[in-house]
Amino acid sequence: MASYLELELDKLKSIIEKIGQLAESQVSESVKILLQEPEAAEGKSIKKTETKIDKLDIKIDEICQSIFALQQPVASDLRFIMSAMQISNEIERIGDLSISIVKKAKNIKEKHDLIVKFNIAEIAKQVELVTVKTNNCFITRDENTIGEIFVLNKDIKNHCEDAIHDIINEMKVNSKAVVSGTNLVIVLKHLERISEHCTNIAEYVYFMINAKIIKHENLEGLMSEG
């Protein structure tokens, strides 16, 4: 028969998987709204999902506090609980950024022309992909997936910087693009931040597996050594 601690850890893992899937759906919905025409944008479901994420975030904190207070976990169990609290915070931020993208996307006129011109759809799809991979790496603890997340994050960062540079240059020569371009730059920074939060989660998963804290800028080399 499973112990109380084992049951609580299973419950914690299950909730994190669920909150991760909700965040993944939020990112997917925000990307969908970003890439479609303004009159088609809605975003009601993403707000409902945010409420669910907030409740699960609180539930994770309560479970972790209960385990700390009553079970005195050690070793891998302790690492898992410590990571779970951090991962929950990162996921909650991903949800907030997704909502901000929806709000900004609705206010970007002529955004479709800018999105096509600067290939924003490819960046958005990359962010969707890194979110999916992040959830998978938590579930599977696959270190190869962790490495893929860091490589993908680096690509997203580079593509965002290039796109922002191009949009700013566009605004310098086309005054009509200033308002839309400014909002699109903010959206790109949000997409970049979502990718960074995914990278942070991958770091916590790495910590759970290897009992070692590592910053993502060093991880590519470490993964190649492995």
Side-chain angles (χ1 to χ4, degrees), residues 167-185:
I167 292 170
I168 290 174
N169 284 337
E170 174 74 15
M171 289 191 289
K172 288 179 180 176
V173 298
N174 180 9
S175 60
K176 293 182 179 178
V178 170
V179 175
S180 297
T182 300
N183 281 296
L184 199 51
V185 166

Side-chain angles (χ1 to χ4, degrees), residues 31 36 52 70 85 88 93 106 125 128 134 141 154 159 165 176 193 200 210 212-213 223:
V31 167
Q36 67 189 13
K52 294 178 182 176
L70 301 176
M85 297 179 72
S88 176
R93 287 294 299 133
K106 289 180 177 179
K125 293 298 181 184
E128 274 193 287
T134 300
R141 308 290 200 274
K154 188 175 180 180
H159 288 154
H165 175 77
K176 293 182 179 178
R193 285 301 301 149
N200 293 342
N210 299 293
K212 185 174 182 178
I213 298 173
M223 299 301 291

Side-chain angles (χ1 to χ4, degrees), residues 22-169:
L22 289 172
E24 183 180 315
S25 71
Q26 275 195 310
V27 172
S28 178
E29 182 70 12
S30 67
V31 167
K32 177 183 174 184
I33 291 173
L34 172 64
L35 300 181
Q36 67 189 13
E37 295 296 334
E39 58 270 23
E42 292 184 358
K44 293 181 180 177
S45 63
I46 202 169
K47 293 178 181 177
K48 293 180 180 177
T49 304
E50 177 64 11
T51 301
K52 294 178 182 176
I53 288 178
D54 288 344
K55 289 181 179 178
L56 289 175
D57 184 38
I58 294 172
K59 184 68 176 177
I60 289 170
D61 280 348
E62 290 175 348
I63 293 174
C64 291
Q65 290 169 9
S66 173
I67 294 174
F68 277 130
L70 301 176
Q71 300 296 317
Q72 298 180 333
V74 296
S76 62
D77 292 341
L78 179 59
R79 293 200 302 275
F80 173 68
I81 297 166
M82 291 170 61
S83 299
M85 297 179 72
Q86 297 297 331
I87 288 171
S88 176
N89 291 334
E90 300 287 347
I91 291 174
E92 199 271 336
R93 287 294 299 133
I94 289 173
D96 290 344
L97 289 166
S98 298
I99 289 179
S100 294
I101 288 172
V102 170
K103 291 178 179 176
K104 287 295 177 186
K106 289 180 177 179
N107 294 326
I108 300 175
K109 296 180 179 178
E110 302 173 356
K111 65 175 184 176
H112 202 64
D113 292 342
L114 292 174
I115 286 172
V116 171
K117 186 171 185 177
F118 300 113
N119 206 15
I120 306 303
E122 180 181 344
I123 298 172
K125 293 298 181 184
Q126 280 188 307
V127 173
E128 274 193 287
L129 178 61
V130 78
T131 308
V132 171
K133 285 183 176 291
T134 300
N135 281 336
N136 287 340
C137 95
F138 175 79
I139 293 170
T140 64
R141 308 290 200 274
D142 179 14
E143 292 192 44
N144 290 327
T145 304
I146 296 175
E148 291 172 7
I149 290 168
F150 281 90
V151 172
L152 193 51
N153 178 59
K154 188 175 180 180
D155 285 345
I156 290 169
K157 181 179 178 61
N158 290 337
H159 288 154
C160 283
E161 288 177 352
D162 290 344
I164 289 172
H165 175 77
D166 291 341
I167 292 170
I168 290 174
N169 284 337

Side-chain angles (χ1 to χ4, degrees), residues 178-204:
V178 170
V179 175
S180 297
T182 300
N183 281 296
L184 199 51
V185 166
I186 295 173
V187 166
L188 283 166
K189 296 302 292 183
H190 286 347
L191 289 170
E192 187 179 344
R193 285 301 301 149
I194 287 174
S195 180
E196 287 287 343
H197 285 298
C198 288
T199 307
N200 293 342
I201 291 172
E203 288 178 7
Y204 294 123

